[in-house]
Amino acid sequence: MAAPTQNPARRAAALLLDAVLLRHRPLEEALDALPTDGRPHRMREKGEARPGAAVSPRDKAAAHRIAASVLRRAGSLDAVLEPFLRREPPGPVRNVLRIGAAELLLLGTPAHAAVGSAVDLVPKPFAGLVNAVLRRVAEAGPAALEGLDAERLDTPGWLWSAWHAAYGAAVRDIAAAHRQEAPLDLSLAPGAAAPEGGEALPTGSHRYPAGTRVTELAGFAEGGFWVQDAAAALPARLLAARPGERVADLCAAPGGKTAQLAAAGAAVTAVERDPKRAARLQENLARLRLPAELVVADALRWAPGGAPFEAILLDAPCTATGTIRRHPDVPHLKRPKDVGAAAALQRDLLAAAARHLAPGGRLVLATCSLQAEEGEAHLAAAAALGLALDPVRPEELPGLAGALTPEGAVRTRPDLWAVQGGMDGFFMARFHKE
């Protein structure tokens, strides 16, 4: 059982950070695994916070907020902690120190609460260390972050180098955007009214402040909208599916793009290899009351019957480095070797998609990655498959002329629309089959 003095939200935040930073599990997966029903959990590792009892939804949300703040600013927090550490503490203890520092410097938690709760999270041999270090951090206050090169510290070196090579000085703006929690973007069902409190974006999405609970918005239960970043809504917009047109959505889960295509009146076949993700897609479509044929299959090996498709949307699996605003665990989980593996899979999927496309048909390739290997580099591969680039025109993407590449593809970045809250980083290209 957890010690009665332990704060359940902070205890859960420690578990989340241990999962991501020590065991390299995705944050959402770790969040789903939190003990919300009292089930027994595995034995803790040396120095790790005890799993404890079930976590309430409110504490779970608070734990996610704390853990995400640490993941976004881990480099800066470690730089603040470093002068007060004579030797490296065990990983779980360092994570508790990061939680305490984040609460003191980023989240505005009173010093006595942040320090006391952190001390309660570690075994007794480390209580004195945690107390002493965090008291020093509390004395320094938020000024401890001043003068740090936060953009560099909070970005892994290999990502910084890759983004500097691809985007030049904009790498700092990209890194700065990753430190901010992303707003909530919605795509509306046909004829649905946008819930109050949002902002209409030029491309048709509606944006709400970060932290907005989508299930509490008017119209959610009735299927009036679905969650979809403004950038993620663009690939289906570029495909411009027509009523009655046979369209395939490959790697379709969680279903936002499938919903867009179905809402346009297309006859959609959604292909998803993961049965659990496919079930989630089906649930989403049921709530939205939108029809689509769902196929649980690997798009690489899928052999559809009948005539080739008139249009195909391929939102290929990738390293997801364009979604760090929403998934701050990505920089801590991905490695340089992952980029090459993802790019190779994307090329194979593009070749498979091209085989299913009718002559003269349209295909949109999209990846939510900022890595050039997973985006711009695919233009040559597409040409070798008989796919001719169909350049995107500025009027197709209102307010995003800066996202158009010289070739006519689209490259969104987290620092675009900075005043409105940014957007995910995507590469998109539209082709027709010669």
Side-chain angles (χ1 to χ4, degrees):
M1 294 294 291
T5 55
Q6 284 190 350
N7 177 282
R10 294 175 176 113
R11 181 187 67 236
L15 291 172
L16 294 177
L17 290 175
D18 289 348
V20 174
L21 299 176
L22 303 182
R23 296 191 298 280
H24 307 291
R25 294 177 63 189
L27 179 58
E28 293 299 327
E29 179 183 306
L31 194 66
D32 290 341
L34 283 177
T36 55
D37 58 0
R39 290 174 298 175
H41 272 52
R42 61 168 182 78
M43 295 296 290
R44 66 191 179 106
E45 299 176 10
K46 182 180 179 182
E48 184 179 357
R50 297 178 183 273
V55 182
S56 71
R58 180 178 178 180
D59 287 331
K60 189 174 183 179
H64 182 269
R65 178 172 178 258
I66 294 170
S69 295
V70 171
L71 293 172
R72 288 190 180 96
R73 302 301 306 276
S76 293
L77 296 174
D78 283 347
V80 171
L81 293 168
E82 206 60 39
F84 308 131
L85 295 171
R86 286 185 290 181
R87 61 179 60 89
E88 178 64 24
V93 175
R94 177 171 282 277
N95 285 338
V96 171
L97 286 168
R98 288 165 170 156
I99 288 172
E103 291 205 277
L104 291 166
L105 306 180
L106 303 174
L107 300 176
T109 305
H112 70 276
V115 176
S117 296
V119 169
D120 291 337
L121 285 173
V122 297
K124 288 185 179 179
F126 297 100
L129 169 70
V130 169
N131 180 68
V133 169
L134 291 182
R135 285 188 180 278
R136 297 287 297 276
V137 174
E139 291 171 2
L145 295 170
E146 296 177 3
L148 297 179
D149 188 350
E151 289 83 6
R152 291 295 298 266
L153 288 170
D154 298 330
T155 305
W158 70 275
L159 284 175
W160 183 276
S161 298
W163 297 342
H164 186 269
Y167 310 116
V171 62
R172 283 200 171 273
D173 297 327
I174 292 171
H178 288 158
R179 299 207 304 271
Q180 308 301 319
E181 185 179 359
L184 175 74
D185 290 349
L186 302 181
S187 292
L188 302 183
E196 294 183 358
E199 172 191 6
L201 299 175
T203 52
S205 297
H206 288 258
R207 174 159 292 181
Y208 297 79
T212 300
R213 296 179 180 272
V214 65
T215 55
E216 297 177 2
L217 293 176
F220 175 81
E222 294 77 16
F225 48 80
W226 57 93
V227 176
Q228 189 175 34
D229 186 86
L234 299 180
R237 180 186 179 105
L238 296 180
L239 190 65
R242 296 184 284 269
E245 193 171 39
R246 292 184 66 248
V247 179
D249 182 11
L250 306 184
C251 312
K257 299 176 182 67
T258 303
Q260 287 178 279
L261 300 172
V268 185
T269 300
V271 182
E272 172 56 49
R273 65 175 294 180
D274 186 325
K276 291 184 179 179
R277 286 170 57 82
R280 180 184 173 193
L281 188 159
Q282 188 67 66
E283 291 171 1
N284 289 337
L285 290 177
R287 179 181 67 84
L288 297 170
R289 299 177 178 84
L290 290 172
E293 178 190 5
L294 179 58
V295 177
V296 180
D298 185 342
L300 283 176
R301 298 169 179 80
W302 179 51
F309 289 92
E310 298 167 85
I312 293 178
L313 178 56
L314 171 59
D315 186 1
C318 65
T319 56
T321 56
T323 68
I324 293 172
R325 293 156 61 250
R326 301 184 185 281
H327 302 287
D329 53 330
V330 167
H332 304 281
L333 299 177
K334 300 300 181 182
R335 299 293 182 265
K337 64 180 181 180
D338 297 326
V339 177
L345 174 61
Q346 292 153 16
R347 288 192 295 271
D348 290 343
L349 285 167
L350 183 61
R355 291 195 294 270
H356 304 319
L357 186 64
R362 310 181 313 285
L363 184 150
V364 168
L365 167 68
T367 59
C368 57
S369 171
L370 289 170
Q371 313 314 114
E373 300 94 321
E374 299 180 78
E376 290 81 354
H378 290 321
L379 295 179
L385 294 169
L387 297 174
L389 186 66
D390 180 6
V392 177
R393 303 179 304 279
E395 59 269 23
E396 294 183 80
L397 296 181
L400 282 175
L404 298 181
T405 72
E407 300 83 5
V410 179
R411 164 58 75 187
T412 64
R413 302 195 314 251
D415 58 311
L416 297 181
W417 284 356
V419 174
Q420 296 99 321
M423 60 171 49
D424 285 351
F426 262 82
F427 175 82
M428 309 161 214
R430 182 175 59 201
F431 306 93
H432 66 267
K433 189 171 184 178
E434 296 178 313

